[in-house]
Amino acid sequence: MLGWRLLVSAVLIPAFVGLCYLDARLGSSAPMLLGLAVLIAVRSAWELVGLFRTRSFEPNFPQTAALAGLVVASAWLPHVAGFQVLERVGLDSGLIFGLA
C-alpha cells in the first residue's frame, strides 16, 4: 500500500508542477487548467449521478456533465482574449459572468 502511494506521488507531483509551468507559459487565459477543471467537473458529475441513482433519482448524465462544464467554463470567459471588450465598454466582466 505504501509502495503504491509513493509511486503515484512520484508521478503526480512532477506532473502537477509541469502542468503549472506549462500553463504559466501559455498565458493568462490558462487553457490547460481550464481543460483539467472541466474534466474534473465532468468526472464529479458522473459521481453525483451515481450517488443520486442509489437514492432512486434518475438524473441525466450528459445534461449534468454539460451544465457542470458550463459552470466551470463560464468562470474562464472573462480571461479569454475576445471577452476583454466588456472592460473597454466599462462593464465589469467578472461581475457579469459571476452573476450569470
Side-chain angles (χ1 to χ4, degrees):
M1 184 72 164
L2 179 62
W4 278 107
R5 287 185 182 178
L6 289 174
L7 180 67
V8 168
S9 65
V11 171
L12 283 181
I13 292 172
F16 181 71
V17 170
L19 175 70
C20 290
Y21 174 76
L22 179 65
D23 206 47
R25 302 285 288 169
L26 289 177
S28 64
S29 64
M32 296 297 288
L33 285 181
L34 171 62
L36 180 64
V38 168
L39 285 175
I40 290 172
V42 169
R43 178 65 173 111
S44 298
W46 183 9
E47 279 292 323
L48 184 67
V49 166
L51 287 172
F52 280 157
R53 285 199 176 132
T54 62
R55 292 288 187 172
S56 73
F57 292 114
E58 284 298 324
N60 187 2
F61 170 69
Q63 183 180 15
T64 307
L67 292 174
L70 187 63
V71 167
V72 170
S74 69
W76 253 272
L77 283 179
H79 304 289
V80 176
F83 286 93
Q84 274 84 20
V85 173
L86 295 173
E87 293 174 4
R88 282 185 256 146
V89 176
L91 298 172
D92 184 13
S93 60
L95 178 63
I96 291 171
F97 289 111
L99 292 176

